[in-house]
Amino acid sequence: MAALRTGKLDWAGGLSYGVGWEEAESLMQTNPELKYLRFLHIYPPTLYGRIDTPPFDDVRVRRALSMAINREEIIDYYYGGHAEKFAFPVMPIPEFKDVYVPLEEMPDSAKELYQYKPEKAKQLLAEAGFPDGFKTNIYCTSTSVDFLSIIKASFEKIGVDLEIRVKERGVFVSLGRGRGYDQMYYSTPTAVIPFRFVDWLPGNYQNYSLIDDPKIKDAALEVRKAYFDLPKRNQVYKDIVPYMLEQCYMISVASPYIYTFWQPWIKAYHGEFDPGYMGDWHNFIKYVWLDLDLKKKMTEGT
C-alpha cells in the first residue's frame, strides 16, 4: 500500500487478491488521484461439512447451522458493509443477469437459510436428535481464524461447540484434496460461475462436502446437453438452484467486495484482470500502456 501511495507501484488488485475494503477506504482518502474498480470476490468464504458422516448427513443439521449465522451483523461489522449476503451459486453481476435470481424471489425454504433464526436452528437440531447440540471441528489456515471465531461464537448460541483446527497451508491443502478432515473444511467454491457444477459433483477435488446427489447430477447433464441453447440452458440451471440451496450442502456466509487500484498513467485500462475465459489471468497487461511522461510529472513534479 505504501508503494502504491508513493507511485512506486502501478497497480494492485486482481481476481481474488484485490485490495480489501479497509485499505481501499484509506487509499481513497490519501490518494484521490488513483483510479479503482470495486467488484465481488468470486471465491466467497464457505463452510463444508462431510455429508457422508453424522451429523452433516442430516439436512436439518446443515440448515440449522446456516440459520445460526447472523449474516447482517457480519456484513456490517466484519466487512464494513462491503459484502453481499446472497451471491452463491450465482453472482449478482450483469454477466449473469439471465441466470441470477434474487433471494427475495426464492422459495421460503431457501430464503430462511440466510435469515438469522437461532430458535428455529435449535428446533431443527432437536428434531435431528441433538437437543443439547454437539461438538464438531473445522480445518483452516491461520488467515481464517478471525472469521471462523465469529462463526464459532454463532454456533455456540445453538449449542454447537466448533473447534477450529489451524494447519499450515501445505498440510491444509493436502487434507482437503485427500479428504483427510473428519468433519468440516473451510474453503471457497472454485468460482461462482454458473453451469460448471464443479463443487457439486462426485470426483471433483473441490467437492469438499462429498455431494453425490442424483438430482443435481441430472441437472448438470441437461445443462451440458443444452450448453449452446442459451434459453434452455439458463432455465435448467435456474430451476435447479433452489433445490441446491435448500439442501444446504455448503454454507455460504457472504461475498465480500474487493478493489483493484491503478495509477492514472496506466492507459487503456478499466480495472479488468481476466479479459478472456478462466485461467487467462493477468493477460490484460498486453493491452495496456504506460504514459511515462505523466508518471514522471506526477511522481517527480517535473
Side-chain angles (χ1 to χ4, degrees):
M1 293 303 100
L4 190 64
R5 284 191 173 94
T6 56
K8 294 183 175 63
L9 193 65
D10 297 323
W11 175 93
L15 189 66
S16 61
Y17 313 103
V19 178
W21 68 270
E22 292 173 304
E23 294 87 354
E25 288 186 347
S26 176
L27 283 170
M28 291 174 193
Q29 294 175 4
T30 60
N31 294 71
E33 77 281 2
L34 287 172
K35 298 179 179 294
Y36 67 87
L37 175 71
R38 186 179 89 148
F39 58 99
L40 269 176
H41 202 308
I42 70 168
Y43 301 119
T46 304
L47 311 178
Y48 296 82
R50 294 186 62 132
I51 66 170
D52 65 336
T53 185
F56 304 104
D57 57 344
D58 193 318
V59 67
R60 294 170 295 188
V61 170
R62 303 193 297 268
R63 293 178 66 87
L65 295 182
S66 184
M67 293 182 202
I69 299 172
N70 190 334
R71 289 173 173 81
E72 283 80 8
E73 190 174 75
I74 290 174
I75 290 171
D76 289 343
Y77 295 104
Y78 186 79
Y79 291 121
H82 297 255
E84 293 288 342
K85 180 167 66 172
F86 184 61
F88 178 80
V90 185
M91 297 172 66
I93 59 176
E95 292 86 343
F96 302 149
K97 63 181 177 60
D98 295 329
V99 187
Y100 180 79
V101 177
L103 184 59
E104 56 267 23
E105 296 179 18
M106 286 288 176
D108 290 342
S109 56
K111 282 192 290 190
E112 72 171 355
L113 293 173
Y114 294 82
Q115 299 168 355
Y116 182 50
K117 293 186 172 184
E119 294 306 316
K120 176 68 177 292
K122 290 179 182 178
Q123 176 187 333
L124 287 173
L125 288 182
E127 292 174 2
F130 301 99
D132 299 319
F134 57 87
K135 291 185 177 181
T136 188
N137 60 71
I138 189 165
Y139 286 85
C140 68
T141 59
S142 59
T143 57
S144 305
V145 172
D146 285 349
F147 182 81
L148 288 177
S149 295
I150 299 173
I151 303 300
K152 175 181 174 66
S154 297
F155 286 179
E156 285 176 353
K157 294 177 181 178
I158 64 168
V160 174
D161 182 4
L162 178 66
E163 177 191 353
I164 301 174
R165 295 184 176 178
V166 183
K167 299 296 180 181
E168 179 273 328
R169 179 69 184 176
V171 174
F172 171 74
V173 172
S174 294
L175 287 169
R177 298 293 188 268
R179 310 307 189 212
Y181 49 97
D182 57 323
Q183 291 277 284
M184 302 185 76
Y185 192 78
Y186 178 73
S187 186
T188 62
T190 303
V192 281
I193 297 178
F195 319 120
R196 296 181 73 196
F197 291 95
V198 174
D199 308 277
W200 304 86
L201 299 177
N204 287 318
Y205 77 88
Q206 201 81 6
N207 183 1
Y208 296 121
S209 293
L210 304 183
I211 303 165
D212 188 358
D213 189 314
K215 193 168 182 177
I216 295 177
K217 288 193 289 188
D218 288 345
L221 181 59
E222 289 303 310
V223 162
R224 290 168 183 163
K225 288 180 179 178
Y227 199 82
F228 296 103
D229 183 348
L230 300 189
K232 182 178 180 181
R233 181 194 68 178
N234 292 347
Q235 192 59 55
V236 170
Y237 195 82
K238 288 170 71 173
D239 289 344
I240 193 61
V241 164
Y243 174 79
M244 294 161 72
L245 294 174
E246 290 164 353
Q247 298 307 303
C248 204
Y249 288 131
M250 300 169 242
I251 301 175
S252 178
V253 180
S255 296
Y257 282 99
I258 51 179
Y259 292 76
T260 289
F261 281 86
W262 66 96
Q263 302 287 359
W265 54 78
I266 299 184
K267 301 299 182 180
Y269 184 65
H270 314 87
E272 57 269 23
F273 176 73
D274 182 9
Y277 195 60
M278 287 290 296
D280 206 19
W281 297 355
H282 293 107
N283 198 35
F284 72 89
I285 292 173
K286 67 184 182 184
Y287 299 107
V288 306
W289 59 280
L290 303 181
D291 185 337
L292 297 181
D293 291 335
L294 177 60
K295 179 176 182 179
K296 183 177 181 181
K297 181 179 179 180
M298 293 186 68
T299 57
E300 300 178 13
T302 59

